[in-house]
Amino acid sequence: MRVLVTGHAGFIGSHVVTALREHGHEPVGYDVREDPADDVRDPAAVAKALVGVDAVCHQAAMVGLGNGVADAAEYVSRNDLGTAVLLAAMADAGVGRLVLAGSMVVYGEGRYVCQEHGVVRPGPRAVADLDAGRFEPPCPVCGAALSPGLVGEDAPADPRNVYATTKLAQEHLAAAWARSAGGTAVSLRYHNVYGPGMPRDTPYAGVASFFRSALAREEAPRVFEDGRQRRDFVHVRDVAEANVAALTAVRPDSTLTAYNTGSGDPHTVGEMATALAEAYGGPEPVVTGEYRLGDVRHITADSTRLRAELSWSPRVGFREGMREFARAGLRGQ
C-alpha cells in the first residue's frame, strides 16, 4: 500500500514512516519542515502529492496548549483548514482511507466517580483552588473527593483549550468526509507519547521532553502541581504500530471510528520524572506546586477497543521505555 504521511519529518510521523516500511508498505513523505511547498493548506500541492496514493496518514499539526486564544487563528489554520483542504483533495482523487493523529485532549478531564453521585464530569479547575494547592477537582454536585478512572471513547468531548478544540474539529471534518465521500476514517487519540526523536523543550514539547532536557543540562526536572496527576505514557514505536494497524484494517463502514491509543499502564507525572531521572543518573525531580491553566488533573486511557478491534497491543513497558528515553537523542540536540 502506498501511504501519504503528512508531517512525516516530525516526532511521531518519522516513526510511522519507519513502521510502514518495516511492514512492506511505501510511505510518501509530505512535510512543510522539509519542503516549504508541502503545506497541507495548499490545494494544488496536496492534489499533486495524492497521485497514486492508496491511503493517508495525517500527522501534520500544530501541537501544544497554545497561548490562550492569542494564537487561535494559527491553530485553526494549520490544523482545521489544513485538514479540510486535505480531505477535499482526497475526495477529488478518490483516496478513501484516512488515519488521523487524534488526541486525548478532546476529553478535557478524564473519568471520575463520586461515591454518592456516581460518574461525574467536573468543570475546569478554579484558579483560587490551584493557587491554594487544591489540585484535585471536586464533585460538581456535592464537592466531595473523586476517584479517577479510565476514560473510554464514548465519553463526551470537553476540549479545554484551543489546541484541543482544533483536534476535535479535525475529527468532525473527517467524519463528514467519510460520510459524503464513502471513505473510512480512524482517529487514534494519542495519550502522552514519548520516545527517541522527541522534540526538545520547546513551548510545544511534552512533559517527558521537558524533563529529559533538564537532565541533559544537569538540572532537576521540575514537576508541576504535586506530581500526582495521572497520565498514560505510551511509547512512540507502539503508536507507530497502531497507525499501521489502523491503515490496514478492513473497515467497510463510511464513518469515523475513534480509538484511544495508550499503554493501559497509568503513572503519575512524578513517577515518570523519577523513573527518567533514575535511568539517566541525574538529579532527583523537584515538585514545584506551579500549574498551567488549561492543564487537566487526570486523563488516562481505556484502550480496550483498539486492542480488540485492530489486534494491537503495546510492546514497550514503562521502565524499559524510560531507560531507553533517558539515553535517546532529542530533536534539536
Side-chain angles (χ1 to χ4, degrees), residues 15 30 33 40 45-46 82 87 96 180 205 220 222 255 263 284 296 310:
H15 286 272
Y30 191 88
R33 283 166 293 194
V40 290
V46 174
L87 293 171
S180 65
R222 295 174 59 82
T255 184
S263 69
E284 293 183 2
V296 297
L310 300 188

Side-chain angles (χ1 to χ4, degrees), residues 34-283:
E34 289 198 346
D35 186 343
D38 287 352
D39 190 333
V40 290
R41 295 169 294 184
D42 183 337
V46 174
K48 182 179 179 181
L50 286 171
V51 174
V53 163
D54 302 302
V56 173
C57 186
H58 186 29
Q59 304 293 318
M62 185 175 179
V63 300
L65 283 178
N67 181 24
V69 296
D71 48 9
E74 186 71 8
Y75 271 93
V76 171
S77 176
R78 291 182 179 273
N79 295 353
D80 298 337
L81 175 60
T83 299
V85 170
L86 173 65
L87 293 171
M90 289 175 65
D92 287 343
V95 178
R97 184 176 291 265
L98 171 73
V99 173
L100 172 68
S103 176
M104 55 85 178
V105 296
V106 301
Y107 298 117
E109 284 284 357
R111 185 178 189 272
Y112 291 88
V113 176
C114 173
Q115 189 171 9
E116 181 176 353
H117 297 99
V119 176
V120 294
R121 291 189 61 80
R125 295 180 292 173
V127 171
D129 287 338
L130 296 170
D131 286 340
R134 295 187 294 268
F135 301 119
E136 295 288 345
C139 174
V141 181
C142 66
L146 300 174
S147 299
L150 301 180
V151 62
E153 292 90 349
D154 296 329
D158 186 17
R160 299 289 177 88
N161 54 61
V162 169
Y163 168 65
T165 302
T166 65
K167 297 307 290 183
L168 182 59
Q170 282 185 309
E171 291 192 353
H172 289 314
L173 288 166
W177 162 82
R179 287 190 295 268
S180 65
T184 60
V186 167
S187 177
L188 296 176
R189 291 176 175 170
Y190 301 157
H191 280 246
N192 289 70
V193 186
Y194 74 96
M198 197 172 189
R200 62 185 305 172
D201 50 350
T202 72
Y204 307 105
V207 65
S209 174
F210 278 97
F211 294 164
R212 173 67 175 75
S213 297
L215 290 165
R217 298 191 301 268
E218 300 184 354
E219 298 173 2
R222 295 174 59 82
V223 180
F224 280 14
E225 301 188 16
D226 58 5
R228 296 174 185 167
Q229 55 271 47
R230 298 170 76 244
R231 298 291 187 269
D232 187 319
F233 299 99
V234 59
H235 196 278
V236 67
R237 287 197 298 274
D238 287 330
V239 168
E241 288 293 328
N243 274 272
V244 176
L247 282 163
T248 55
V250 176
R251 303 198 60 82
D253 50 329
S254 297
T255 184
L256 178 137
T257 304
Y259 293 102
N260 286 333
T261 308
S263 69
D265 181 27
H267 290 270
T268 68
V269 172
E271 288 172 341
M272 187 272 286
T274 298
L276 189 58
E278 289 176 350
Y280 190 87

